[in-house]
Amino acid sequence: MKTIRDIYEDQFRITSIPFASSDVVIFTGIPLQKNSYKTNSGKYYVTIKTNPENIPVLPAIGQHWSVKGTRQVEDKNIGDYVMQQHTYESPSHIECSLPETGEQLIQFIANEKDFRGIGESKARALWELLGKEFHATISHDTPASRERLRGVLSEDSINALFEGYSKYKNLAYCNWLSAHKIPASVQQRLLKHHSEQSINAIKQNPYVLVGFGMSFQDVDNIVKESQTWDNFALNGDSRLSAALEMSIRKEVDKGHTYSTHATLQPHLTNLLKDKELVAQAFKAGFNKAQYVLNPETGTYHPTAQLLMESVVAKRLNVLAIQKNLYDEQANAAYCVAVSELPYELTQKQAEAVTTCLDNAVSCITGGAGTGKTTVLRTALRAYAKLGFEIHAIALSGRAAMRLHEFIGFTTSTIAKLLRDEPVGSNGKHLLVIDEASMVDLPTMYRLVTHIHPTVRIIFTGDPDQLPPIGCGKVLADIVLSKVIANTMLDIVKRQEGFTGIPEYSKLINQGVVPERMTTGAIYFHETDKKDIAQVCCDLYQQSPENSRVMAPTKALVTEINKLIQTAVNPNGAMFQFKMREEQLFMNLRLNDTILFTKNHYDKGIQNGSLGTLTSVESSNESYGEVTLDTGEKVEITQSILDCMTLGYAITLHKAQGSQFPRIIIALQKGKIVDRAWLYTAITRAESEIHIVGSTADFKVITERPSNAHHRNSFLVNLLKRERTCDFGSDYGCKRK
């Protein structure tokens, strides 16, 4: 029986968190007597269902919360007795608070897992020691505070106490921020930067929130709706510069590292609705150093992006002048590396290897089938013989694993390298960046500042593939600048295992429709738009263990995934879990192919990781298990539930940096589908391709010029500014 009652208020202690995702969090608890740790009633429990963005901190067992709103009351049969569940869905007010009384604090610390190693006896001794000075002592980690605590706690327990408390010491600020409709994710970033001064910072200038991820329109709304900022000037520099910041961010999100007045003005006009305010916004932004105006071109360069480009250019230019390094030792290492090959290098490949050895920074570029990996493997063997430590990295885990298989050296993801200690302060080091076309400007900036200036770099990749998701186009700019030694490899026709993929992809890249739509290991399937999903599904079933479908839109990916799941895994056990008396489930089955859509580096997964759902058995905090395609096993916990989806079909961006034996391409005309998209999709295949769509669409997509690389980037200009003499070397090795 369910009833709806009027506005009600509850105070409770969290006892369970049955579900948590990026969209909704559900937590339950027992009602408390006011200002007490004791339960108010044993006849009902409280359940909260809300968006995580609407609460000040993520819920944890043991926390004290107060809630106000409309509640739904439902009788629940618990064994031999009936208990009421009071459910608040998206309540009007919800607040987390630290316990204030002695017994509340003792029970909170003893039961909260953040305070590991501190049980009830230690918590009670802590309260007896500090009493009302508890919060003042624990809020700041100082030598004096630690010395006082050593009377009752070990060093490990002291560390746990400060770490656990840090999570809650800003609650007073969080609750104020939540009351002003500031999302939790914005709060976290704000508090990390401003700490105790967060509220004062916002009161002085609410538009600082734009810099922490809140939209300009949302800040405008809270300013208009709240009496806190009654006297805030809507034509003031703070508001106007924030509007400019938001406009610049829109252009950066499109991949640009600089903008023009013509592109920024419409964004500003949309936000400010006034031409005079738009003109003032440009002045306000300049005064706050939000951008640098290039006097030669009249272009607007966001300060952060210009700084990153300048640092990257300077680091690369320092390496670029270090050339003519190919000496007798390098030649000897080259000869040994070449002699170990089961085949002979072509002249161009040999040139690429010696170029890598001759320059402190170099590039190996080319399309599929051009022998980039062969060149890289040979160059790295030579470098190893010269005593260099090799650091080979790729953007995705799958790409790193594939790179390791090809080159034989230890590899890692870029993310892992950046988490490890900086590279190269001692000894000789070489950094290899594979699939460098995918590396955006912020990532490249982090890489060059993470390695010692003496570390040599080799870039490999295909500048004609889709640019990175983030801003910039580093590899394309490096190649275009001609400042850094680059060997562009052409197609090598293989004697055996001919697929036709390199030749086919080259034609697409040039905007030429192949004479034969089906050739070699490439098969074109003429298909009506309405049947594309089903044909992709049928093709997948022919070789499920080797296939992956590439589709341009999330909607088409979802449709194909549902069809394939029904076709190849109709009877797999459903992935489900129980919350109290409710059975929750996701549309995943045992043995389904799984795609992870977010980074969880601590669990060994990142956005784009693929695996198989190998267990749906719940145990403690685990709901099952996914076996990654690297062989590693990942327990399914609440933190990763919302980033799991079917992975039979994926978008092209999820596939960049990876290759699959057999690719099925769902071809549809659309905003993002151009020849660069098709070229990149084709080059994801190792041995076999199936293109599903119409010949007419294929022709339009191939012949239409690509806009993929039309990004404003200043890196080329910065690299050229310090250009030195030409590259080159006469060193070589006679091959038998």
Side-chain angles (χ1 to χ4, degrees):
M1 177 180 168
K2 293 183 180 180
T3 59
I4 303 293
R5 297 190 179 176
D6 294 334
I7 298 294
Y8 198 81
E9 187 172 355
D10 262 313
Q11 291 181 316
F12 66 101
R13 182 175 71 244
I14 295 179
T15 56
S16 167
I17 308 164
F19 184 78
S21 74
S22 58
D23 300 319
V24 65
V25 60
I26 302 173
F27 51 103
T28 68
I30 53 176
L32 297 171
Q33 294 178 10
K34 196 171 183 179
N35 299 321
S36 173
Y37 72 97
K38 295 181 179 179
T39 58
N40 187 40
S41 169
K43 296 181 180 179
Y44 77 95
Y45 62 92
V46 181
T47 297
I48 307 294
K49 297 181 181 179
T50 189
N51 190 312
E53 289 291 292
N54 298 331
I55 55 178
V57 292
L58 291 176
I61 293 173
Q63 291 173 348
H64 286 207
W65 287 72
S66 59
V67 59
K68 186 177 182 181
T70 303
R71 63 176 178 171
Q72 178 178 282
V73 180
E74 184 179 2
D75 290 339
K76 293 284 187 178
N77 292 317
I78 310 292
D80 296 329
Y81 63 95
V82 177
M83 197 171 182
Q84 285 186 339
Q85 176 179 265
H86 293 194
T87 302
Y88 296 82
E89 192 157 351
S90 301
S92 57
H93 175 79
I94 185 166
E95 186 174 292
C96 179
S97 60
L98 272 172
E100 292 292 338
T101 69
E103 198 59 37
Q104 280 185 346
L105 272 168
I106 291 166
Q107 297 300 322
F108 173 69
I109 292 172
N111 293 306
E112 168 62 90
K113 65 181 180 181
D114 282 330
F115 302 101
R116 59 187 184 281
I118 306 176
E120 185 172 340
S121 61
K122 287 184 179 178
R124 196 170 295 281
L126 194 61
W127 176 253
E128 290 174 0
L129 175 70
L130 301 176
K132 293 182 179 180
E133 296 178 1
F134 179 90
H135 292 294
T137 305
I138 309 303
S139 60
H140 297 287
D141 187 351
T142 65
S145 297
R146 285 181 169 266
E147 186 60 36
R148 192 173 183 187
L149 294 171
R150 287 189 181 101
V152 294
L153 298 178
S154 67
E155 203 65 33
D156 287 344
S157 295
I158 292 172
N159 290 336
L161 182 64
F162 280 117
E163 288 173 16
Y165 191 85
S166 65
K167 183 176 172 180
Y168 299 100
K169 69 178 182 180
N170 291 324
L171 275 177
Y173 314 121
C174 291
N175 289 322
W176 186 91
L177 296 170
S178 293
H180 285 79
K181 300 180 180 179
I182 298 167
S185 57
V186 176
Q187 293 180 29
Q188 292 162 14
R189 290 189 285 270
L190 180 72
L191 287 163
K192 188 175 181 180
H193 187 79
H194 287 290
S195 192
E196 296 95 347
Q197 299 302 313
S198 293
I199 292 177
N200 287 335
I202 299 175
K203 284 182 175 179
Q204 292 172 16
N205 176 19
Y207 290 92
V208 299
L209 292 167
V210 169
F212 294 97
M214 201 164 174
S215 76
F216 181 84
Q217 294 93 333
D218 286 344
V219 179
D220 251 0
N221 289 336
I222 67 169
V223 169
K224 292 171 184 175
E225 292 172 6
S226 175
Q227 296 180 352
T228 304
W229 299 282
D230 277 349
N231 299 318
F232 201 85
L234 294 180
N235 63 345
D237 282 0
S238 297
R239 179 173 182 263
L240 299 180
S241 64
L244 181 64
E245 182 178 346
M246 182 63 72
S247 301
I248 288 173
R249 190 187 302 165
K250 282 184 177 291
E251 290 300 294
V252 172
D253 289 344
K254 294 177 183 176
H256 304 302
T257 66
Y258 69 84
S259 306
T260 63
H261 190 278
T263 55
L264 291 174
Q265 190 173 30
H267 295 314
L268 279 168
T269 302
N270 183 52
L271 294 175
L272 299 173
K273 316 297 185 188
D274 184 283
K275 288 184 179 180
E276 181 58 35
L277 290 181
V278 169
Q280 291 180 33
F282 280 108
K283 294 178 183 177
F286 182 81
N287 292 335
K288 289 199 170 189
Q290 286 176 286
Y291 64 86
V292 175
L293 185 63
N294 189 327
E296 298 174 3
T297 60
T299 49
Y300 293 77
H301 297 252
T303 307
Q305 278 65 39
L306 183 60
L307 172 66
M308 287 188 286
E309 286 182 317
S310 299
V311 171
V312 170
K314 186 174 182 179
R315 286 294 187 95
L316 293 180
N317 277 318
V318 167
L319 291 171
I321 62 175
Q322 299 175 46
K323 53 191 178 178
N324 299 324
L325 304 174
Y326 194 94
D327 54 18
E328 291 183 4
Q329 282 186 309
N331 189 60
Y334 169 81
C335 291
V336 174
V338 168
S339 69
E340 294 174 350
L341 294 174
Y343 44 78
E344 190 169 311
L345 296 177
T346 67
Q347 184 177 348
K348 197 72 172 177
Q349 289 174 330
E351 178 191 328
V353 176
T354 55
T355 299
C356 291
L357 294 167
D358 194 38
N359 297 273
V361 59
S362 59
C363 297
I364 308 166
T365 57
T370 57
K372 296 191 299 293
T373 305
T374 298
V375 169
L376 182 61
R377 182 168 57 236
T378 309
L380 295 189
R381 288 183 178 182
Y383 263 110
K385 294 182 186 303
L386 289 170
F388 280 80
E389 186 175 342
I390 310 295
H391 308 268
I393 56 174
L395 201 59
S396 72
R398 185 179 180 88
M401 182 178 67
R402 178 172 155 269
L403 179 63
H404 170 70
E405 291 170 354
F406 283 143
I407 66 174
F409 291 89
T410 302
T411 60
S412 74
T413 62
I414 292 175
K416 184 179 184 304
L417 180 88
L418 293 173
R419 289 199 310 274
D420 294 340
E421 291 296 314
V423 175
S425 56
N426 297 305
K428 298 190 293 185
H429 297 264
L430 171 69
L431 178 66
V432 179
I433 306 174
D434 193 39
E435 297 277 5
S437 63
M438 294 179 60
V439 178
D440 59 21
L441 175 63
T443 303
M444 193 64 215
Y445 169 78
R446 292 182 67 192
L447 282 171
V448 298
T449 54
H450 190 72
I451 63 175
H452 194 271
T454 58
V455 176
R456 296 190 187 184
I457 302 175
I458 296 177
F459 296 93
T460 73
D462 184 355
D464 291 325
Q465 287 188 8
L466 287 177
I469 297 174
C471 67
K473 47 184 178 74
V474 175
L475 182 65
D477 285 345
I478 287 172
V479 172
L480 188 61
S481 74
K482 298 182 179 177
V483 171
I484 291 168
N486 173 42
T487 307
M488 178 70 78
L489 301 174
D490 207 347
I491 292 172
V492 178
K493 289 189 181 284
R494 299 184 174 113
Q495 297 298 315
E496 56 184 354
F498 175 76
T499 64
I501 295 173
E503 293 80 8
Y504 203 92
S505 63
K506 185 177 181 180
L507 289 173
I508 300 296
N509 192 39
Q510 295 171 342
V512 178
V513 178
E515 289 185 14
R516 297 171 63 188
M517 300 292 284
T518 295
T519 180
I522 304 165
Y523 305 89
F524 190 89
H525 304 266
E526 188 72 33
T527 310
D528 288 338
K529 184 178 179 180
K530 62 180 176 59
D531 298 323
I532 287 176
Q534 186 59 58
V535 173
C536 288
C537 175
D538 295 342
L539 288 166
Y540 185 94
Q541 293 178 71
Q542 294 175 7
S543 183
E545 66 280 359
N546 294 316
S547 300
R548 196 76 59 189
V549 182
M550 305 287 167
T553 65
K554 290 181 180 179
L556 186 55
V557 164
T558 301
E559 183 183 357
I560 296 170
N561 269 322
K562 287 180 180 177
L563 288 171
I564 294 177
Q565 183 193 48
T566 301
V568 303
N569 192 26
N571 301 316
M574 186 67 76
F575 178 58
Q576 56 188 331
F577 43 94
K578 202 169 184 179
M579 187 206 77
R580 296 277 180 182
E581 299 302 312
E582 292 185 66
Q583 201 73 22
L584 302 176
F585 67 93
M586 297 175 69
N587 189 32
L588 303 174
R589 298 180 181 275
L590 185 66
N591 298 321
D592 269 339
T593 296
I594 301 297
L595 170 73
F596 291 97
T597 58
K598 291 181 182 178
N599 295 323
H600 284 276
Y601 298 127
D602 58 322
K603 297 184 180 295
I605 60 174
Q606 54 192 47
N607 193 348
S609 292
L610 289 161
T612 302
L613 184 58
T614 47
S615 173
V616 292
E617 297 294 323
S618 296
S619 161
N620 297 324
E621 296 182 358
S622 172
Y623 298 111
E625 187 178 75
V626 173
T627 302
L628 300 177
D629 53 13
T630 59
E632 297 173 278
K633 297 184 184 298
V634 177
E635 280 193 8
I636 303 170
T637 58
Q638 287 185 0
S639 64
I640 65 172
L641 275 174
D642 66 322
C643 72
M644 293 168 54
T645 186
L646 291 173
Y648 300 107
I650 58 179
T651 62
L652 184 56
H653 274 120
K654 298 294 186 196
Q656 277 195 270
S658 299
Q659 281 195 306
F660 305 90
R662 185 172 180 264
I663 290 292
I664 302 163
I665 301 172
L667 193 68
Q668 281 187 344
K669 283 194 302 184
K671 188 176 180 181
I672 67 167
V673 183
D674 55 18
R675 73 171 67 149
W677 186 94
L678 182 55
Y679 171 79
T680 306
I682 289 172
T683 57
R684 298 305 87 206
E686 292 174 358
S687 55
E688 187 177 323
I689 295 171
H690 294 264
I691 304 173
V692 182
S694 72
T695 304
D697 283 355
F698 185 99
K699 189 172 186 296
V700 169
I701 291 166
T702 302
E703 293 180 343
R704 185 175 60 202
S706 175
N707 293 316
H709 295 280
H710 291 179
R711 293 186 170 192
N712 298 331
S713 172
F714 201 56
L715 184 59
V716 173
N717 306 66
L718 292 171
L719 286 167
K720 286 182 175 180
R721 282 187 179 181
E722 298 181 30
R723 186 174 181 181
T724 56
C725 56
D726 293 333
F727 299 96
S729 174
D730 294 327
Y731 285 94
C733 176
K734 293 181 181 179
R735 298 186 299 276
K736 295 181 180 179

